[in-house]
Amino acid sequence: MMVKRVLLGIALIFSFILVDQSVASAAKVTKNSFLTTKRVIKTYNSSKTIKVTIPKGTTVLVNGTKNDNGQKYVSLNLNRLRYQIRRPLITAQNSSRVSRWILAKGQNFSKTNKPVYLSYYSLTRSNKGHALLSYVANGDLWKGSTLPADYAQLTGTRFTITTDGYLDFFSSSPYKYTISPKPTSSTEIQKSYYRSSRQLYLYFKTKLKGLPVTKVSTKGNNRYRLSINRTTQTTSTAIPNEDDATRVTLNEIYQIGKTDYYMHTENARFLGED
């Protein structure tokens, strides 16, 4: 009888420890945290109209958090996931890129670090003391050197890297979109290597169409390599034009092979503008 009581006590203590760890882990989850799903997550978009299934082992980006009755919940950025996951949202009218609230408990997610393959840009940047500046970088790299002033009506060539480790290339993508359309080509990243603060190497098993990859091996998973190079150079675009500008966009220049790509990183508004 004494042995049973001791075992029961140990089991209760162990369960409390697990609960405490789960709560502590959830407490550290904030906006722009990365999580990995520990089971298949079946959820909806934020308007609860489109079903989305996120496989076990998928790295996701937290869009927002809330606390309700002592429990933490997260919403996820569904647009940053690979095409096979985000596909149901593409054709839906008035769809959002954000999931509904999901309980951020240990049986659903584990917290993880920012993946190396996303090291080519910063998720956040402090604009403390600069109320008219907003940081808008989202990982999209567009072919060219500066954002067109009339970008909202145009399409361009771009590529991006999903939070779950796929490179999506778009030969003709609208600049303004809610959910990324079907990519022209896509391949899974097998290995990533942050060579320096300005250079990121990505390795693929299959050759990616549209970007200058280098063949480095004839077998194995790491057969092709792509280099993403930050130049630290910047450009700006006056919106809607230089004479009547209400805001200026700031763009950071990258080099992919010998071709310039840029990322729209910040907006600077003028006093008196909404």
Side-chain angles (χ1 to χ4, degrees):
M1 189 71 176
M2 181 63 71
V3 173
K4 288 184 178 180
R5 290 178 179 176
V6 171
L7 291 174
L8 179 60
I10 292 173
L12 288 173
I13 292 171
F14 187 64
S15 66
F16 290 146
I17 291 173
L18 289 177
V19 170
D20 287 343
Q21 287 176 340
S22 176
V23 171
S25 177
K28 296 177 182 178
V29 175
T30 60
K31 179 179 174 63
N32 292 323
S33 292
F34 288 93
L35 304 175
T36 298
T37 56
K38 296 175 68 175
R39 64 181 183 87
V40 174
I41 303 292
K42 294 186 177 182
T43 185
Y44 289 83
N45 60 341
S46 59
S47 58
K48 300 181 182 180
T49 56
I50 305 297
K51 292 182 180 180
V52 179
T53 299
I54 306 175
K56 178 181 178 180
T58 301
T59 299
V60 294
L61 177 64
V62 175
N63 183 79
T65 67
K66 74 170 184 177
N67 290 287
D68 190 4
N69 294 324
Q71 298 270 28
K72 175 166 278 189
Y73 292 80
V74 295
S75 62
L76 306 177
N77 187 329
L78 300 174
N79 180 62
R80 295 301 309 275
L81 296 172
R82 64 183 181 268
Y83 169 70
Q84 287 77 7
I85 299 175
R86 70 177 186 269
R87 179 169 52 188
L89 301 169
I90 294 175
T91 57
Q93 292 184 348
N94 302 318
S95 181
S96 73
R97 64 176 64 196
V98 178
S99 76
R100 66 175 300 185
W101 295 107
I102 306 170
L103 194 59
K105 57 184 179 180
Q107 71 181 56
N108 287 336
F109 305 103
S110 61
K111 197 170 185 301
T112 188
N113 294 326
K114 179 181 178 180
V116 174
Y117 47 74
L118 295 179
S119 298
Y120 65 101
Y121 82 107
S122 300
L123 280 166
T124 60
R125 182 179 295 171
S126 174
N127 287 325
K128 188 176 181 180
H130 300 279
L132 297 178
L133 286 178
S134 57
Y135 188 66
V136 296
N138 65 357
D140 282 349
L141 286 173
W142 295 86
K143 190 174 183 179
S145 59
T146 192
L147 182 73
D150 55 345
Y151 69 93
Q153 289 79 42
L154 299 178
T155 60
T157 298
R158 72 173 169 98
F159 72 92
T160 193
I161 298 173
T162 67
T163 59
D164 54 335
Y166 285 75
L167 192 151
D168 285 352
F169 175 80
F170 304 82
S171 60
S172 181
S173 168
Y175 279 92
K176 194 171 182 178
Y177 63 87
T178 300
I179 301 294
S180 283
K182 182 178 180 179
T184 306
S185 58
S186 180
T187 188
E188 185 176 7
I189 298 168
Q190 300 295 328
K191 186 178 78 169
S192 50
Y193 173 47
Y194 198 32
R195 189 178 181 187
S196 69
S197 60
R198 297 185 185 181
Q199 190 171 49
L200 175 67
Y201 279 169
L202 304 176
Y203 293 84
F204 316 98
K205 185 175 183 180
T206 58
K207 187 175 182 179
L208 183 74
K209 295 180 179 179
L211 292 173
V213 295
T214 302
K215 190 170 185 177
V216 294
S217 178
T218 57
K219 56 184 179 180
N221 290 330
N222 308 321
R223 303 183 188 188
Y224 298 93
R225 183 180 69 205
L226 177 73
S227 179
I228 299 178
N229 304 291
R230 300 183 71 170
T231 68
T232 72
Q233 298 174 354
T234 60
T235 61
S236 61
T237 304
I239 305 293
N241 55 61
E242 292 184 359
D243 294 329
D244 301 304
T246 59
R247 64 185 173 96
V248 173
T249 71
L250 303 178
N251 318 287
E252 292 188 7
I253 304 299
Y254 292 73
Q255 275 199 329
I256 313 300
K258 297 181 179 180
T259 303
D260 284 348
Y261 278 73
Y262 67 90
M263 188 185 303
H264 176 201
T265 57
E266 289 183 272
N267 287 326
R269 294 185 293 111
F270 296 141
L271 286 171
E273 298 297 336
D274 294 330

